[in-house]
Amino acid sequence: MSCTNLQHKAERASFSPLPSTTNESMSDTKSLITRNIWESFVKVEITLDIPHMVHETYYGTLHRNSYLPLQFSKLYEYFKYCLDETHLSNFDQWWIEHDLIPLKWHLPIGLIYDICLPQRTGTWHLSLRVDKFPADSIIPYQNLEHGTEIWTKAVENIWLNQIKESCFVQCGSAKPIMSLSKEDSTAFWEAVTAHNLDGYKAIEKKITPSLSNIRNIPLKLYIQQANDVIDIEEDIEVIQAPVSPFQSSGASQTMFSALASVIPELFPRHDPPRYTFAVPSIHAAIIPEDAILAELYSVGSYLDGFLHILIEGEKTIDRREEGGEIN
Amino acid sequence: KITIRFQAIGGAPPILVKVFKISRNQKFSVLNKFLHKRVYSNRGNRSSPEPEGRKQLFLYLHNSFAPNGDEVLGNLFSLFKVGDELIVSYCLNVAFG
C-alpha cells in the first residue's frame, strides 16, 4: 500500500524511526506517519552579526511544520542582552537570511529548508537580520500590532488565508472554515502556535469533507531549476491546478497520474508508471509513483492545508546522490 | 492572458473600468499595486471620504480569502475562476478575518 511505501521512504530520509508496524492497522500506521511528520524538525545555527556590536550564534531546532516568525520570540530572548533599543523596538525589521537570500517567512519552515538545502540533511546555517527589511522580496509584517505580537499576528493572517484557500479548493467554498465557532477558530490557531497535533487535527477534521465530497486536493508544486544556488524567487516555478482525488476512469488519483496530467512535459505517461525526467518529494522524502493522492494529503499536508511538493529535475537528483560530499 | 473583474466591497470606491486582461505569469501582488493607483487617484473628485492613515487595499477571492502576494495569477485563475473571469473584490479595510 502506498502509505507503507511513504513510510519506508520517510525512514530513509532520516525521519525518526517508526516502531514495527507488522501488527498495526492501517489507520495506526497513518497516524504514526502524521505524528512523525508533525514532530520532525531541522537543526539550525542562527547567527546575529552586527559589526562592532555583536557576533553571537543560536544553536537549536525548528519544527518543519511551523513558521519562522513564530520562532522569533525565542531568538529575541536569546539575543536581547546584546541588542540596543532600536533593534529591540523595531520588530517589523526582523528577518532571516540564508546564503544572502531573504527567506520567505510565509512558507512552512520544512518547505524552505528543502528548497535551500537540496541534499535535505545537515545543519541549516542562517543569519538573523534586525534592520533593512527587504520588503521587495518578502512580505512585510503589515499590521498595527506593537511589540513581539507583530510576528504572530502576521503569521496568523497568512496561515488563516491559506487554510481558507485550501478549504475552498477542497469544498468549492470557504464556508466550513468561515462557519467555525469562535472557540474552534481560536483553538485551531492556538494549536498552530503551541505546535499541538491533537488540537490541530480536532479542528481540521471539522473542515475537511469526506473523500467522496472532495472536489480537488490542495496542491502546490514547486518546480526547481537545477542551479547551484537556489533563489526561491528566481529558480522556482510554482504550479497549482485542480486535481481531483479520482481520475476520469474512476480510479484513485495517484502521485504519478496527477503529475502526468498537470506537467506532462516532465512526467510523460509510462506503463507501469515511472518517473523519468523529474521526481517529486515532500518532507524530504521521495513520493512513490503509486501513492494515492488523497491518502498522501491526509497524512502529509502541511499545517496550512496544502501538499507542498518539490519537483526536482535530473541534474538535481544526480547531485543529491553525491550530496554527502558537497559540504 | 486571463480576465480579471474587480468588485468594490465594504464601501470601497468603485472604479470606472472593472474588467482587465493580464498575463497569466503575473503575481497576485501586481493587482494590488495596479488597483491602488486607480482607487487612490482622483479621490478629491469623489464624494467618498479620504482614507485615513496608511492607504491600504485588501483583495479577496470569492469574498472569503486573500491569496499570498506571490501566488501566480494563472494558477489562481485555474482554481478559482467564475465563468471565464477571476473575480477580485477589494476593500479599504480588512473585510474577512
Side-chain angles (χ1 to χ4, degrees):
Chain A
M1 288 291 282
S2 56
C3 247
T4 323
N5 281 346
L6 179 66
Q7 179 194 333
H8 291 318
K9 306 276 179 175
E11 281 178 324
R12 207 179 58 189
S14 79
F15 277 101
S16 333
L18 295 164
S20 161
T21 54
T22 40
N23 292 324
E24 283 171 3
S25 75
M26 201 62 193
S27 87
D28 286 344
T29 310
K30 274 189 191 174
S31 54
L32 261 174
I33 298 173
T34 308
R35 189 164 295 277
N36 271 280
I37 290 173
W38 183 268
E39 298 300 341
S40 64
F41 53 81
V42 298
K43 276 188 261 174
V44 288
E45 251 185 62
I46 303 176
T47 302
L48 176 63
D49 190 359
I50 305 174
H52 313 300
M53 203 170 144
V54 46
H55 183 93
E56 177 72 272
T57 303
Y58 170 92
Y59 300 88
T61 56
L62 308 179
H63 281 120
R64 294 177 59 92
N65 226 343
S66 186
Y67 293 94
L68 287 169
L70 295 184
Q71 323 301 321
F72 283 180
S73 296
K74 212 157 51 181
L75 299 180
Y76 167 79
E77 288 303 321
Y78 184 81
F79 287 116
K80 70 177 177 189
Y81 80 94
C82 52
L83 286 169
D84 65 19
E85 276 302 304
T86 334
H87 300 122
L88 292 175
S89 50
N90 293 338
F91 296 125
D92 59 345
Q93 294 296 309
W94 284 44
W95 53 287
I96 299 273
E97 192 178 63
H98 171 259
D99 258 353
L100 302 178
I101 295 165
L103 296 186
K104 290 181 177 291
W105 59 266
H106 68 280
L107 300 176
I109 290 172
L111 172 65
I112 317 175
Y113 176 88
D114 292 344
I115 290 173
C116 287
L117 300 184
Q119 70 274 22
R120 305 286 141 72
T121 174
T123 305
W124 202 9
H125 300 274
L126 302 173
S127 302
L128 171 65
R129 305 283 180 208
V130 291
D131 58 6
K132 303 193 185 77
F133 189 91
D136 289 342
S137 45
I138 56 179
I139 303 174
Y141 305 121
Q142 221 181 52
N143 61 62
L144 303 169
E145 296 298 324
H146 296 289
T148 56
E149 270 282 279
I150 192 172
W151 301 319
T152 37
K153 277 287 168 197
V155 174
E156 182 180 8
N157 179 42
I158 292 285
W159 169 81
L160 182 62
N161 278 293
Q162 285 297 292
I163 279 277
K164 280 194 210 163
E165 185 175 322
S166 138
C167 184
F168 200 104
V169 171
Q170 289 186 79
C171 310
S173 122
K175 225 177 196 164
I177 185 157
M178 288 171 94
S179 50
L180 279 181
S181 70
K182 182 94 180 73
E183 290 72 32
D184 281 349
S185 306
T186 309
F188 205 12
W189 169 241
E190 281 175 0
V192 171
T193 52
H195 203 72
N196 172 358
L197 178 62
D198 296 331
Y200 180 87
K201 285 286 167 190
I203 312 295
E204 188 201 40
K205 212 164 61 185
K206 299 189 180 186
I207 58 167
T208 307
S210 63
L211 181 60
S212 55
N213 288 324
I214 295 180
R215 289 192 177 197
N216 291 301
I217 307 271
L219 199 63
K220 294 193 184 186
L221 306 172
Y222 299 75
I223 303 179
Q224 198 157 320
Q225 312 296 325
N227 286 350
D228 289 336
V229 179
I230 306 293
D231 182 325
I232 300 184
E233 194 66 53
E234 302 285 315
D235 300 326
I236 304 271
E237 184 190 354
V238 187
I239 295 187
Q240 277 181 276
V243 176
S244 152
F246 300 101
Q247 304 179 48
S248 47
S249 65
S252 293
Q253 191 79 262
T254 63
M255 187 72 261
F256 186 83
S257 65
L259 291 171
S261 68
V262 179
I263 344 175
E265 59 280 19
L266 280 180
F267 296 91
R269 301 258 174 209
H270 191 283
D271 197 23
R274 197 201 304 150
Y275 303 134
T276 37
F277 303 124
V279 167
S281 67
I282 190 165
H283 305 295
I286 290 172
I287 305 166
E289 283 91 340
D290 60 355
I292 292 171
L293 205 59
E295 284 185 10
L296 183 68
Y297 181 81
S298 75
V299 298
S301 57
Y302 274 90
L303 78 173
D304 60 0
F306 279 90
L307 274 176
H308 295 282
I309 295 174
L310 282 177
I311 310 285
E312 294 161 288
E314 274 181 312
K315 189 182 165 194
T316 322
I317 299 164
D318 291 347
R319 193 179 46 180
R320 241 178 89 180
E321 279 162 7
E322 307 159 356
E325 309 300 318
I326 287 177
N327 285 338
Chain B
K1 292 219 167 191
I2 57 167
T3 307
I4 308 277
R5 176 181 293 274
F6 289 113
Q7 206 169 47
I9 55 166
I15 48 173
L16 284 177
V17 182
K18 295 182 173 60
V19 181
F20 298 87
K21 284 205 183 292
I22 188 167
S23 155
R24 308 182 69 94
N25 304 325
Q26 295 283 355
K27 305 280 171 76
F28 189 70
S29 58
V30 168
L31 297 185
N32 202 313
K33 289 190 194 118
F34 175 85
L35 200 55
H36 207 275
K37 284 187 224 142
R38 281 159 181 78
V39 171
Y40 285 113
S41 63
N42 299 324
R43 288 295 303 275
N45 304 333
R46 295 180 183 281
S47 54
S48 34
E50 283 298 309
E52 292 168 20
R54 281 187 291 177
K55 291 180 171 182
Q56 287 195 339
L57 268 182
F58 298 87
L59 271 52
Y60 299 93
L61 298 182
H62 286 279
N63 284 340
S64 51
F65 63 93
N68 286 329
D70 61 355
E71 295 196 48
V72 180
L73 287 174
N75 288 340
L76 295 171
F77 182 81
S78 73
L79 283 163
F80 306 117
K81 66 183 169 188
V82 176
D84 210 23
E85 295 175 338
L86 186 64
I87 300 174
V88 178
S89 1
Y90 63 95
C91 195
L92 305 187
N93 302 298
V94 175
F96 308 98

